[in-house]
Amino acid sequence: MNNKRRQQLLEVANPLLTAGEQVELATLVKVGSVSVKRKIATAAVVGVLTAGTVIATASPRPMYLAMTNQRILFFEVDGLTGKPKKLLMVVPRELVTATPVAKALLGLGRVTQLEIDGQERGLKVLFPPATKADAAGFVAALGTAV
């Protein structure tokens, strides 16, 4: 993530921080997973509607992630400007454990699964190629061996 985007993310996150809280990592991730069934359905509908001239696929939702010494904050990505927008989710760090980093599809990105105490389902976090170097530091900060 470039310095301009990082600065924009910090400007949005800083007013939400508590006393003594500091941002340790600011990056762009994709959160969630998309089933094969949904990917096929999306491709089929777009193909039919455009007579095969456009190909589309469903992918996990991009979000900005700001990890502080106390919490993990997820922010919306503005679809037009790419700037960080409103806060979508906050997870206290002490409730989170992460799986070791694995290569994502085709080895281009990195992926980890966050397990949150009290939640039945985990949260899949994909670090795309541009931010994959942040994955190891993220899971290490959560106490997971890389």
Side-chain angles (χ1 to χ4, degrees):
M1 188 166 78
N2 66 30
N3 283 337
K4 180 181 176 183
R5 287 284 186 240
R6 186 180 194 296
Q7 196 60 36
Q8 290 170 342
L9 178 56
L10 293 176
E11 287 171 7
V12 173
N14 281 335
L16 304 172
L17 303 182
T18 61
E21 191 172 16
Q22 298 175 13
V23 175
E24 296 177 353
L25 175 70
T27 190
L28 178 69
V29 296
K30 291 188 175 187
V31 178
S33 59
V34 179
S35 69
V36 172
K37 183 177 176 181
R38 182 171 169 206
K39 287 180 183 181
I40 292 171
T42 300
V45 168
V46 171
V48 167
L49 292 175
T50 63
T53 59
V54 176
I55 298 173
T57 184
S59 66
R61 183 177 185 175
M63 293 183 192
Y64 285 105
L65 180 147
M67 182 171 66
T68 72
N69 53 341
Q70 299 172 16
R71 304 178 291 171
I72 303 170
L73 297 91
F74 294 91
F75 294 89
E76 181 179 14
V77 176
D78 186 306
L80 296 175
T81 65
K83 292 181 180 180
K85 285 178 63 176
K86 67 181 180 179
L87 180 66
L88 296 175
M89 179 175 30
V90 178
V91 183
R93 272 180 65 166
E94 68 268 4
L95 298 181
V96 178
T97 56
T99 60
V101 175
K103 288 184 179 180
L105 183 64
L106 302 175
L108 299 176
R110 300 292 180 262
V111 67
T112 185
Q113 184 81 16
L114 301 182
E115 301 297 331
I116 304 167
D117 288 349
Q119 299 295 317
E120 289 181 23
R121 295 182 60 195
L123 189 63
K124 182 178 176 181
V125 178
L126 170 72
F127 291 82
T131 63
K132 71 181 182 182
D134 295 333
F138 176 71
V139 299
L142 294 173
T144 303
V146 178

